[in-house]
Amino acid sequence: MSETEIEWPWQYNFPPFFTLQPHAETRAKQVQAWKSLILDYCKKCKLYLIDVREASNIPLFNNSGINRKLEQTVIVSILSELQKTGHAAPIDKPKNRWEIYWHTLEEWSSMIYDYVSNRGLQGSVLTLYELSQGDDVKDEEFYEMQQEVLIKVLQTLEKDRKCELILSDDDQGVKFF
Amino acid sequence: MNRFSYVTPILMDNESTLTCENNVRLYDGEVKTQFEGGELIITTHRILWGRPGAIAKGQTCLGLSNHLIVYIEEESPGAFFRRSRKILLHLAEHNDPNADKPSPYSQYNFIKLSFREGYSTDVVGTLNKCLQMRYWESNVRAPIQENPPINQQPQIKLRTGIVGIERGLQEKQKATDESLTVAFQDLSKLMSMAKDMVRLSQNISTKIKDRQGDITEDETVRFKSYLLSLGIDDPVTRDSYKSNNQYYRSLAKEICDFLLVHIEEVGGMIVLTDAFCRINRARGLELISPEDVLNACKLMEQLQMPLKVFQFNSGVMVLQLSSLDSESIAEATAVLVEDNGSLTSEELSQKLGISVTLATERLLTAEKYGKSCRDDSIEGLRFFPNFLLTREIL
């Protein structure tokens, strides 16, 4: 995705947006705005993973137009807020690498299950590659989903006994019920 | 060995210890002596040898004046791997029959120092340096030779030892004392001048009163306003009041009367330090302490005067109109920020003609009420209208 397609909200060009506000009410609004901006951005760019240490490389956190960057500590605190609603999760202890779910894992899983049931694919086995990269899913939202995230989504489905993951080394597949 | 004599190991004036070694044996020429396993101390003036612990206790020990040493030689260590090191000291002829000596006669012109455990410091180097500098020769030829004293009389200035340090301290103290005296002389001069100034202004004001008719009304008013900013006619002083409380009350009233007009002019608020300066400048002679000003100002609110003290969260204290409250300040500041798009403390201070501290406080107040928001970048702290709160999110 090229950067030009992204429509930035007005806040993105408002310098105070990049400073964490001390006034409680203002900060709440600010964090809220950041949360939706991050999810929107990730959705448009199909970005599943954010490394906080390299955040300044992402235009989302670095507006070179007004020369403002969001600090790493602030990014982490906003991502932690997103974690509370299931829209993000750190995948390492120091909280440097974050998976972003612009749909929560539950939303993703129902989306995938809907797709499977619409196509009558229950009972058959699909490879993870088919599910995320195959030609059939080109128009689905989960097309090109990152493998690690996909596995997590399917694992939530597995808990509801709607599928079973087959995770051998060579062929990683899933059987839907 | 006959150059050694019994001495007390108490250091003389200007003498200082250079190095000290343990487990040293003395040789008279090539012959071992009974003096073994002792402590050896090399000072600027002497070499001292004593039984372990004797020197520290100040007991009698052996002493050899450094000026008798002609030449130092280090004996090369033997073929075996031994730590023992020997130093040869060639000595000058010396006869002092009165001295109390361990051996009155010796056939050798040199002695040896045998360090059974080697030495921990560069003994040879230290000794050689000591001989070069010839510390013992005179007090004056100390290492400070390079800057000769300006006075004809050579000043004895020593940097070594505790005495030297103490002397240095004393000199510094003296210099401080002198400069303090000079400084206070100036201050008393200023006080007496101020007295004259106040008297002068009083004279002028009475003269004006006397011949009111001669000058125009306008001029009188102008002149009076000059005088007013120059001084307070009859300053409230502590002496004239019995209790502190009464004193502070009167002082509060005086400050109020004096500063009210000015504070109204500059937007209803001045920093307490500014107030302090203005008050004292006006009083001229009877200066008051910051503490008195603070105490007096704190009473103002209680006494329902038109001014009051206000402390910002940052600790900055201001004197402001009682009618002024934080919310209206925040409101007014927010309007200014909005008009200008964004403001820094410096810009606001220029716009309003107030101090930067005050401007910062105003902006922070506005922020506290959610009327503005900050942009903290390398370019500094800048405040914007709080669109984050007022505009829709997306």
Side-chain angles (χ1 to χ4, degrees), chain B residues 255-272:
Chain B
I255 295 171
C256 233
D257 292 345
F258 174 65
L259 287 177
L260 188 58
V261 181
H262 172 68
I263 290 180
E264 272 168 355
E265 269 168 16
V266 295
M269 189 190 279
I270 58 170
V271 187
L272 204 56

Side-chain angles (χ1 to χ4, degrees), chain A residues 112 115-116 121 124-134 137 142 147 150-151 154 164-168 170-176:
Chain A
I112 290 178
Y115 164 79
V116 170
L121 290 170
S124 55
V125 175
L126 290 172
T127 62
L128 296 192
Y129 183 83
E130 268 181 294
L131 205 51
S132 60
Q133 314 283 330
V137 293
F142 49 84
Q147 183 116 341
L150 182 61
I151 290 175
L154 293 174
E164 193 180 334
L165 270 167
I166 306 153
L167 293 175
S168 63
D170 307 334
D171 316 306
Q172 299 185 315
V174 59
K175 184 177 180 182
F176 290 96

